[in-house]
Amino acid sequence: MNSKRSVVANAGDKGTDTEQRPLRARDGLSEQDHLEILKQLYLARYFDVRLIKEKRRGRLRGTLYSSHNQEAILVGTLYGLRPSDWISPIHRDMPAFFLKDLRGNWDNDDRMGMSIGEVCAQVWGRATAPGRARDNWSHIGDASKGIICSTSMLAGTIPVAAGVVYDAKLKGEDTVCLTYNGEGSTSQGVFHEAINFAAIHKLAVVTIIENNQWAYGTPLELGSPVEDVADRAKGYDIPGLIADGQDVLDVLDKTMWAVERGRAGKGPSLIECKTFRAYGHGDHDDDRAAKYRGADEVEKGRSRDPIAVFKKYLVEKGILTKAEAKKYSPEGKHANETTDEDFPPDVVDIMKKGVEFALDSPLPEASEATKWVFAEPRR
Amino acid sequence: MSAVIAEGTQTVNMLTAIKQALFEEMEREPGMVCIGEDIGILGGAFGVTEGLQDRFGAERVIDAPISEALIVGAAVGMSMRGRPVMAEMQFIDFISCGFDQIVNNAATMHYRTAGKVSLPMVIRGPSGGYGGGGPYHSQQNEAWFAHSPGLRVVCPSTPSDAYGLLKTCLRDNNPCIFYEVKELYRKREIEEQIPGGDYTVPLGKARIAREGSDLTFVTYGNMVYFCLEAAVKLAEEGIEAEIIDLRSLVPLDDEAILNSIKKTNRVIAVNEAPMTCGFAGEILARVNEYAFEYLDAPPARVTRTDTPVPWVKPLELAVLPSVDDIYEAAKRAVNY
C-alpha cells in the first residue's frame, strides 16, 4: 500500500533548486554549538515525553500532538535564526515556542522566544499562558516575540507570514519568517495562494514542510500526486529543497541557505523535511494508528532517531567520546520507556521548573471569558 | 489634508465619498496599505481606488492575485504589526473565498491573544442586488459576519456616512467588514456635501433617516431608500413612519431602536438579505426581549425570499424586497 512513499531512509538531496548552494551553516558551528544543539534535541524530546506521561495520567486537557522523532526539524530550522525573525509553528511543534532564540539563552525569559514556563502554563491551561489559555496547546503567539498565533486551519499562517514579511520589507527590515506545515497542509488552497504571493513579491517566507508521511489517517499518496512535496515549489519558480528530517545539521544547512537567500531579497523557499510520525495523529489516535499503519512501517520510520543520528556524527567528529554519547540515551525508546535518567540533569531541571511555574499559576477567572472580543480604538 | 477629489462645497456621490476617505486616510497614515484585486493599475472594478496607486505607489496599493484568503491573511499579518490595512473584495460575494481567514483568524485574534494583538484592518467591497448581477454579484452577506464575534459590521447608506464611517473603521483597531451598496455608488438623488473638518461617524450610532410617530422601520443600506419610498406612500394615508438607519450592525444601537418603538409602538425590520437568520431576525429577537411591552402589533420583517438572487429582472425582483412589500407590512402593523 505504501510502496510509493520514500520513508526517511531514502531522503535524498534532490529538490528542485538549481542554484548553487555553497552555504553550509554547519561549517560555522563551534564545538559549543554542537553541544547546545544536542542539548536542545534532548530538551525537545524530554518536553514531549514528560507531557505524554502527564497526559496518560489524565492531568492535561486537550490533545497532545507529539513531536517525537521530529525534533531535528524544530532545532535545525530554529538554531540559526536571528532573534528578530518570525516563526509560525503548528500543532506538532510545541517545542518551537521555547526553542526560538534559545541558543545560549536558557536563563533569559526576555529572549525573543517563549519561556518553558509560559509554554507549560499554556499546556496546563493557566492564566499565565501567552493567551491566558483562550485556545489550546499550540495555538499561542506573541507578536512582540515574532511568533504568529495559528488556528486549527492548516496552512492558514502562510498568508499571515507573507503579510508580516511584506510589512517588514516596507520598513526596510530583512526579517525572515519560517512557517511550519505538515505535508497534508500542502493540499490547502491557501498554501498555494500564499506562496504564490510571496514568490511574486520575493518575500522571505520559508515554508517548512514536515513530511511525516501521514496526515492524520491519510497517507501521502492519497494527499499528493507528487512523492516529494518539495516539487510543488516548481509552479512558483522558487527553490524546493529536500532535507533529511532526522539529521539536524542537514535541516540547519538547508534552512539557513533559504533564510539567507530570503534575507538577500531573493524570495521564498520551500523545504521538505522527510521524517516519520512516531505515534498517532494526536494521543487520542494512538490505538487506531497502530491499526492503519503497519508495525514494520512504524519500525522503519522510527529507525533513525534524530538524537542517535546527531550523536553518531558528534562521535565521528570527535566532539563526544563513545562513553559520553551513551550517557544519556532516550533515543529509540517509546516515551513510556524513558526515565529522567535518560536526559541531562539541566534539561530535566528546566522542564521541572516550567511545570512548577504552570502548576503554581492560577486558572483564568470565569469573568475573563467575555473580555477582549474587541480592541479599543487606536485613537 | 488634501481635498483631492471633492472641494468643500461640492456635492459628491457615495463612490467619490469613499474614494476621498481612502485618499485622506492614506495621506494621514503613511504606513497604511491597500490590497485587493485590480485596485492599482485599473483603479478597482468600480473605480473606487482610481488614482490611488499613482499617488501612493505600488508598494502601498497592492494589485493582489485572485486570492481572497491571501488578501485577508496578508492583511492580518501586516496589521498585527500595527500597520492599518484596507483589503478590497472586488464584490463582497467573493468574500466567501476568504471566509476562514476572516472568521477564524482575524475575528478571533484579539480574543485568542488575550488582548495582546489588535488588527487595524477594514475589508470593504460592493454589495447588494437590483442590478442584474445574479447569484454571485448581488449578495448582502452581512449576517455571516455579524454571527462571528470580533468583527465590526458596517453598511452605510449616504455619502457622508460612508465617508465618516470608513474613516472611523480605518482608525479603529479591529477587523471590520464594510458593505458598500453598489446601487448607491453613483445614485444621483443621494449626492450630498461631505461635512468639513476631519468628519467621522461613530460606530454603533444609528441615524434617524425620517421621523415619524406611527411605526418604526429598522433597516440599513439600500433598504433605507425603499423604506423612505414606502413612507411617502404611507404619509399620503396619514401614517407617519420613522426610519432608523442602523449604519453599523456590530456594534448595534439598541437604544435608538428602543426609543423609537417607545414612540411608535410598531416595528418592521427590513433587510435585503434572505430571511432565515438574517439581521432583521436578530433585530426582532432583540425587540422581543427589550421592547415587548411597548408593542401594539406583532413585530414583522421584510426580507429577500430564502433563495439565491436570480439573474434576469423579473426573477430578481421577485425575490428581493420591494417598496410594496414594505408598505404592505406597515399597513398590516398599523391595522392590527
Side-chain angles (χ1 to χ4, degrees):
Chain A
M1 160 187 178
N2 300 325
S3 57
K4 263 183 76 187
R5 210 161 340 126
S6 74
V7 184
V8 196
N10 303 331
D13 182 18
K14 31 192 202 142
T16 63
D17 62 314
T18 50
E19 293 174 45
Q20 290 286 314
R21 276 199 277 117
L23 185 96
R24 286 187 5 132
R26 75 174 76 189
D27 296 339
L29 297 178
S30 66
E31 191 175 312
Q32 203 181 339
D33 282 319
H34 286 89
L35 295 174
E36 166 84 11
I37 287 171
L38 179 61
K39 207 164 103 171
Q40 292 193 9
L41 288 170
Y42 279 126
L43 178 64
R45 175 68 52 85
Y46 185 66
F47 174 84
D48 193 68
V49 158
R50 175 78 196 261
L51 295 188
I52 287 173
K53 291 179 178 175
E54 295 283 347
K55 191 78 193 350
R56 294 240 158 106
R57 290 182 195 124
R59 291 180 185 158
L60 301 174
R61 293 185 69 176
T63 299
L64 186 153
Y65 300 95
S66 171
S67 51
H68 197 121
N69 201 43
Q70 300 183 208
E71 299 91 341
I73 300 170
L74 301 176
V75 175
T77 50
L78 291 165
Y79 195 76
L81 289 192
R82 291 183 189 166
S84 54
D85 288 330
W86 278 58
I87 63 169
S88 69
I90 55 165
H91 52 285
R92 208 169 298 289
D93 309 322
M94 282 307 285
F97 294 103
F98 56 78
L99 291 173
K100 183 173 190 276
D101 194 30
L102 182 64
R103 184 177 49 186
N105 229 347
W106 286 48
D107 297 323
N108 177 12
D109 283 355
D110 294 329
R111 67 178 199 272
M112 289 295 282
M114 293 177 185
S115 71
I116 294 184
E118 270 182 295
V119 179
C120 287
Q122 165 66 5
V123 171
W124 265 265
R126 302 303 163 122
T128 49
R132 299 183 72 84
R134 314 193 122 220
D135 195 357
N136 62 54
W137 287 76
S138 65
H139 295 171
I140 43 175
D142 189 339
S144 70
K145 296 197 166 179
I147 302 173
I148 294 171
C149 186
S150 70
T151 71
S152 292
M153 286 58 182
L154 298 175
T157 53
I158 314 178
V160 180
V164 162
V165 174
Y166 193 95
D167 172 79
K169 209 176 159 185
L170 278 190
K171 288 174 177 151
E173 299 165 7
D174 57 3
T175 306
V176 174
C177 186
L178 299 191
T179 72
Y180 293 81
N181 306 270
E183 81 286 355
S185 305
T186 67
S187 300
Q188 281 279 6
V190 74
F191 173 90
H192 300 275
E193 290 191 17
I195 293 178
N196 184 50
F197 180 78
I200 291 165
H201 290 276
K202 299 211 178 304
L203 303 175
V205 175
V206 179
T207 301
I208 308 292
I209 307 294
E210 302 172 65
N211 181 357
N212 65 15
Q213 316 299 325
W214 284 90
Y216 201 155
T218 302
L220 176 66
E221 60 263 34
L222 295 179
S224 171
V226 287
E227 189 180 341
D228 299 319
V229 292
D231 285 347
R232 294 190 186 266
K234 285 177 186 165
Y236 309 106
D237 195 24
I238 64 169
L241 282 63
I242 293 176
D244 177 352
Q246 307 311 105
D247 178 350
V248 68
L249 295 185
D250 194 41
V251 174
L252 174 81
D253 280 344
K254 281 160 185 160
T255 304
M256 291 316 293
W257 180 84
V259 163
E260 293 310 330
R261 185 179 181 278
R263 238 191 262 297
K266 293 181 182 168
S269 300
L270 195 154
I271 302 176
E272 175 186 5
C273 301
K274 303 268 193 196
T275 185
F276 189 80
R277 198 183 76 202
Y279 305 118
H281 168 57
D283 62 292
H284 55 75
D285 183 49
D286 287 345
D287 295 340
R288 294 170 77 198
K291 290 174 193 154
Y292 62 68
R293 307 195 305 182
D296 50 339
E297 184 190 345
V298 175
E299 196 186 327
K300 187 180 174 198
R302 290 181 54 177
S303 62
R304 294 177 62 246
D305 189 305
I307 296 176
V309 170
F310 191 51
K311 284 209 297 197
K312 184 163 174 279
Y313 175 86
L314 293 178
V315 170
E316 282 165 10
K317 282 273 275 187
I319 293 172
L320 284 186
T321 64
K322 277 189 174 168
E324 283 168 333
K326 264 195 182 152
K327 197 167 178 193
Y328 304 111
S329 291
E331 61 264 30
K333 293 180 185 169
H334 190 285
N336 291 336
E337 299 162 356
T338 57
T339 66
D340 285 1
E341 279 64 51
D342 290 325
F343 296 91
D346 48 352
V347 165
V348 174
D349 191 51
I350 195 168
M351 181 65 186
K352 194 174 157 218
K353 284 184 185 146
V355 175
E356 275 168 14
F357 173 78
L359 294 177
D360 287 345
S361 299
L363 289 166
E365 297 283 337
S367 59
E368 281 187 23
T370 53
K371 279 182 81 174
W372 299 303
V373 177
F374 289 103
E376 291 299 311
R378 285 179 297 143
R379 77 198 125 239
Chain B
M1 194 60 57
S2 65
V4 283
I5 297 150
E7 298 302 335
T9 56
Q10 198 179 322
T11 60
V12 296
N13 62 26
M14 189 187 264
L15 187 141
T16 306
I18 291 166
K19 185 192 286 194
Q20 173 124 349
L22 281 175
F23 268 83
E24 288 180 7
E25 290 307 295
M26 284 290 276
E27 192 118 320
R28 191 172 174 278
E29 292 255 20
M32 181 177 150
V33 159
C34 298
I35 182 168
E37 294 155 15
D38 311 300
I39 67 166
I41 296 168
L42 177 69
F46 286 84
V48 173
T49 54
E50 219 158 59
L52 205 63
Q53 195 181 63
D54 285 343
R55 177 70 168 276
F56 298 104
E59 286 191 328
R60 289 182 62 199
V61 182
I62 307 167
D63 270 320
I66 305 169
S67 304
E68 286 79 7
L70 170 275
I71 291 169
V72 178
V76 170
M78 287 188 262
S79 64
M80 73 161 58
R81 286 165 53 104
R83 184 185 296 282
V85 182
M86 183 285 278
E88 178 174 298
M89 296 289 118
Q90 192 157 77
F91 285 82
I92 210 68
D93 313 52
F94 304 166
I95 204 168
S96 54
C97 298
F99 197 71
D100 169 58
Q101 284 293 325
I102 298 171
V103 303
N104 288 317
N105 200 6
T108 60
M109 184 70 80
H110 191 69
Y111 187 84
R112 286 184 288 131
T113 58
K116 286 199 201 104
V117 177
S118 306
L119 303 177
M121 56 183 277
V122 173
I123 301 168
R124 45 161 289 281
S127 70
Y130 302 95
Y136 310 114
H137 295 73
S138 305
Q139 295 173 21
Q140 272 295 147
N141 45 34
E142 63 277 2
W144 295 349
F145 302 105
H147 198 65
S148 298
L151 300 171
R152 310 285 202 200
V153 181
V154 174
C155 183
S157 70
T158 69
S160 291
D161 282 351
Y163 172 90
L165 276 166
L166 184 54
K167 287 197 156 202
T168 301
C169 292
L170 286 167
R171 297 174 194 185
D172 190 30
N173 220 356
N174 294 286
C176 171
I177 316 292
F178 196 91
Y179 286 84
E180 298 170 2
V181 178
K182 56 185 174 292
E183 285 291 297
L184 301 182
Y185 267 161
R186 294 187 171 88
K187 190 175 165 127
R188 276 271 172 82
E189 300 87 322
I190 67 168
E191 285 184 11
E192 63 183 356
Q193 204 183 312
I194 296 165
D198 192 25
Y199 180 70
T200 57
V201 173
L203 287 163
K205 197 92 189 87
R207 175 181 75 97
I208 297 179
R210 184 185 195 277
E211 288 200 47
S213 52
D214 301 325
L215 85 156
T216 300
F217 291 124
V218 182
T219 190
Y220 51 94
N222 203 5
M223 290 300 100
V224 169
Y225 300 100
F226 283 59
C227 289
L228 278 166
E229 249 187 78
V232 170
K233 265 178 89 174
L234 291 164
E236 287 165 8
E237 299 170 30
I239 302 164
E240 294 299 334
E242 179 143 299
I243 300 172
I244 308 257
D245 176 4
L246 292 172
R247 306 195 286 195
S248 92
L249 309 187
V250 183
L252 181 66
D253 192 349
D254 288 301
E255 206 183 332
I257 300 170
L258 175 64
N259 286 341
S260 182
I261 293 173
K262 278 183 183 170
K263 185 167 71 170
T264 65
N265 311 112
R266 289 172 181 82
V267 63
I268 312 286
V270 184
N271 73 211
E272 192 184 314
M275 181 186 75
T276 303
C277 298
F279 204 77
E282 174 62 25
I283 292 162
L284 296 193
R286 289 178 187 229
V287 163
N288 276 311
E289 283 161 7
Y290 58 61
F292 188 77
E293 65 260 46
Y294 299 106
L295 293 171
D296 289 342
R301 60 187 154 173
V302 179
T303 69
R304 182 173 117 199
T305 56
D306 280 340
T307 59
V309 183
W311 172 44
V312 297
K313 199 149 198 170
L315 299 179
E316 183 184 29
L317 294 181
V319 307
L320 289 169
S322 67
V323 172
D324 284 347
D325 294 338
I326 296 165
Y327 166 82
E328 278 156 24
K331 289 283 282 187
R332 280 194 295 274
V334 171
N335 296 332
Y336 179 75

